[in-house]
Structure formats: C-alpha cells, structure tokens
Amino acid sequence: MRRLAAEFVGTFLLVFAGPGAVIIDEVSGGGVGSLGIGLSFGLAVMAAIYAIGHLSGAHINPAVTVAFALTRHFPWSLVPAYVVSQLLGACAASAAHLVLFGDVANLGATVPSGSAWQAALLELLLTLFLMFVVSAVATDVRAVGQAAAIAIGGYVALAATFAGPIAGASMNPARSFGPALVGGTWTSHWAYWLGPVAGAALGALIYHHVRAARPPEPGRVQRG
C-alpha cells in the first residue's frame, strides 16, 4: 500500500504540474509559454523520481510499469495495482485543476493537431526513447544511478518542448487519462494508450537487447 500511495502522489505531482502549466498558460494569457510547459513536465518528473524513486520506483506511468514487467524488472502481479494508482493520481490532479480554474484549456488534455495515427506514431517514438533512457539509468548497474532523475526529467522536458504542440507529447497514458476523464475530452484518446504502451515496450526490449554489449577494450580498438 505504501508503494501504491507513492505512485499516486508521484503521478498527482506530474499531472498537477504538467497539464497545470498548460492551464495556467491559458489563464495568464501566455505567461508560461511552450518552453515553460516543457520544463514543467520535465522538472515534475525529476522531482517525483527523487521523492519516491526509493519507495516505489517512481514509474508514474502505466506504459513504464508494463514495459518493466515485460522485461522482468517488475512483477506482473503488481501491474494492475500500480496502473490503477497512477490513473487515480492523475484523475485527482485534474479534479484539483477543475476546482481551482474551471474547465480551462480542456484541463490540459492531449489532443492531436493532425491525424490520430500521426499522434499515435509520434507518441510511440517519443516513448520508445523515453523508455530506452529509463532502462539505461534504472536497470543497468553500469549507469550512474544518481543521474537517473536528471536524465529522465531532461528527456521529458526535451520531448514535451519540441513535440508538445503536435500531439501533446504525453508518453504517459495516465497523464492523458486524468484530464480526459475529468474534462470529458476523449478526442482520439486511444492514441495516447496505444502509442506510449507500444513505444515503452519496444524501448525496453531494445535496451534489453543491447545492454549485453561490452564496451571496446582500449587494447583491441582497430584502426584503419
């Protein structure tokens, strides 16, 4: 229950800060800006990892939880409870937004600017690289563990900044589900489940495959 509570709090933080930045940008007439929105997502992820990483692993993302289970870094028996906790945390954050600001900017819901399939494919690619980074810093003992939050949060900020205007750069079904449920905005919502879950699975499997590679030994570097 403590792990589940940590996932609830971590996901609440992410959705309260990330989509919250979208809402406040609308309320303030552009006071946050696209760069500020991207940084809000990245810094929220970074803070959540530092705060609850040692408690629950700080998945705060159903796609990450499923991908960890797929590569045997997390028990399948805990997946349903983790996912439910993450979804509840996201919904609670969106409910707080609704109380504070009303139904502004669709509560930061993710809606494609183009086709649903374009959004799904973009979400797949963005989440693939996110999960590749997560797998590298969270499952490989050769990586620098203390830098995990910086690496993951930095990537989220990067993806949210450059890809956010196209499809929202969700990379996280919970982040999309909370605003959709509370605000009633379900436009092409399936893309924000299919893309991130498939992308996270591929990213985890790709890193699982390449992690066995050994770095070249200095004395055996070939020249020519």
Side-chain angles (χ1 to χ4, degrees):
M1 291 302 297
R2 291 179 181 177
R3 291 182 181 183
L4 300 182
E7 286 295 307
F8 177 94
V9 172
T11 313
F12 184 103
L13 168 62
L14 169 61
V15 176
F16 190 73
V22 177
I23 295 170
I24 293 175
D25 185 62
E26 179 71 19
V27 171
S28 63
V32 179
S34 58
L35 178 59
I37 292 171
L39 288 175
S40 295
F41 277 101
L43 292 173
V45 169
M46 188 185 305
I49 293 172
Y50 276 127
I52 66 169
H54 59 291
L55 300 176
S56 66
H59 296 185
I60 58 175
N61 185 337
V64 170
T65 299
V66 170
F68 273 145
L70 188 64
T71 51
R72 300 182 180 180
H73 291 292
F74 189 75
W76 280 106
S77 61
L78 290 179
V79 170
Y82 259 54
V83 170
V84 169
S85 296
Q86 293 154 1
L87 295 178
L88 290 175
C91 290
S94 291
H97 289 152
L98 185 62
V99 171
L100 289 169
F101 305 104
D103 191 2
V104 176
N106 294 323
L107 297 181
T110 46
V111 177
S113 62
S115 71
W117 281 106
Q118 179 193 53
L121 181 57
L122 182 59
E123 289 291 326
L124 185 151
L125 293 172
L126 292 173
T127 316
L128 186 156
F129 287 108
L130 169 63
M131 195 63 209
F132 192 88
V133 173
V134 170
S135 297
V137 298
T139 69
D140 198 327
V141 296
R142 295 172 295 181
V144 181
Q146 292 83 354
I150 298 173
I152 298 169
Y155 175 79
V156 170
L158 169 67
T161 300
F162 87 86
I166 300 298
S170 173
M171 302 175 283
N172 185 336
R175 174 262 179 270
S176 293
F177 182 79
L181 180 66
V182 177
T185 304
W186 296 100
T187 306
S188 302
H189 184 72
W190 61 267
Y192 299 101
W193 282 86
L194 177 63
V197 172
L202 286 173
L205 290 172
I206 290 171
Y207 191 81
H208 184 72
H209 176 72
V210 303
R211 70 179 296 176
R214 298 177 60 185
E217 299 178 11
R220 295 187 178 183
V221 175
Q222 295 182 355
R223 300 179 180 179

